[in-house]
């Protein structure tokens, strides 16, 4: 019985609030207070027509996409440290030799030196480096995680 009484009290309070709101509306609209003001009540709210969902229109989409791109590039850079590298290296220079103090001005005292070579680097794997790459501890990525290998 008390549940029914509570519901009746809630209904009366709501009805009182509606009547007060209508009186305020009449006053601010300049409508005569003794006249009956009818409001068309529509229970259906028209849904906005969205032809297709565009994720690019979401707020902060660009910032989050850039964070994801940075995280992906950082992950690829970390992963590339485990690949072998083949580099072509070279150097060219002139060296001065001689017993005389004026060897700098003499053209015969300068000797050219150059080389071209290939450098192969093969990294040794360690499980701690692999775990750290999988974790992706990087301050610039925020909450964007790295995919597991």
């Amino acid at each position: 019985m008390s549940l029914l009484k509570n519901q009746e009290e809630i209904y009366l309070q709501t009805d009182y609030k509606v009547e007060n709101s209508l009186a305020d509306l009449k006053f601010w609209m300049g409508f005569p207070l003794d006249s009956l003001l009818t409001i068309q009540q529509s229970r259906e709210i028209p849904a906005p027509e969205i032809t297709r969902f565009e994720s690019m229109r979401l707020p902060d989409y660009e910032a989050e996409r850039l964070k994801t791109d940075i995280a992906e590039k950082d992950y690829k850079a970390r992963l590339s440290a485990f690949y072998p590298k083949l580099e072509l290296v070279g150097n060219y220079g002139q060296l001065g030799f001689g017993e005389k103090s004026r060897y700098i001005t003499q053209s015969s005292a300068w000797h050219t030196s150059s080389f071209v070579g290939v450098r192969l680097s093969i990294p040794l794997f360690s499980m701690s480096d692999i775990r750290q790459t999988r974790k992706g501890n990087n301050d610039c990525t925020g909450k964007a995680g790295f995919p597991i290998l």
Side-chain angles (χ1 to χ4, degrees):
M1 190 69 173
S2 65
L3 290 175
L4 183 61
K5 192 69 172 168
N6 287 341
Q7 291 298 323
E8 184 181 9
E9 188 174 321
I10 290 171
Y11 174 75
L12 290 175
Q13 286 177 355
T14 306
D15 192 38
Y16 175 73
K17 287 180 184 177
V18 168
E19 291 298 324
N20 281 341
S21 299
L22 281 174
D24 286 343
L25 181 63
K26 286 179 187 178
F27 174 77
W28 289 110
M29 286 177 45
F31 197 79
L33 295 175
D34 56 349
S35 301
L36 181 62
L37 177 64
T38 57
I39 298 175
Q40 181 182 3
Q41 294 183 356
S42 175
R43 299 280 182 204
E44 295 179 17
I45 299 174
E49 293 184 24
I50 300 174
T51 56
R52 63 186 178 132
F53 178 73
E54 295 181 21
S55 60
M56 294 179 357
R57 292 183 180 239
L58 291 173
D60 295 334
Y61 172 79
E62 288 296 321
E64 295 301 322
R65 186 182 59 81
L66 289 175
K67 284 182 187 177
T68 305
D69 290 346
I70 289 171
E72 182 182 356
K73 290 196 185 332
D74 185 48
Y75 175 73
K76 286 181 181 179
R78 287 175 187 251
L79 194 60
S80 70
F82 296 112
Y83 296 140
K85 292 180 182 138
L86 182 65
E87 298 173 293
L88 181 65
V89 292
N91 189 12
Y92 175 80
Q94 290 187 334
L95 302 172
F97 295 100
E99 298 174 1
K100 299 177 184 176
S101 62
R102 294 181 34 202
Y103 73 91
I104 295 176
T105 61
Q106 296 174 353
S107 62
S108 64
W110 290 95
H111 302 283
T112 59
S113 172
S114 62
F115 74 91
V116 174
V118 177
R119 181 185 304 154
L120 177 64
S121 303
I122 301 174
L124 299 176
F125 291 99
S126 71
M127 288 306 289
S128 65
D129 290 342
I130 292 173
R131 272 191 228 112
Q132 187 167 357
T133 301
R134 283 186 179 178
K135 276 186 191 176
N137 293 333
N138 194 350
D139 294 334
C140 74
T141 59
K143 296 181 181 177
F146 298 114
I148 303 284
L149 291 173

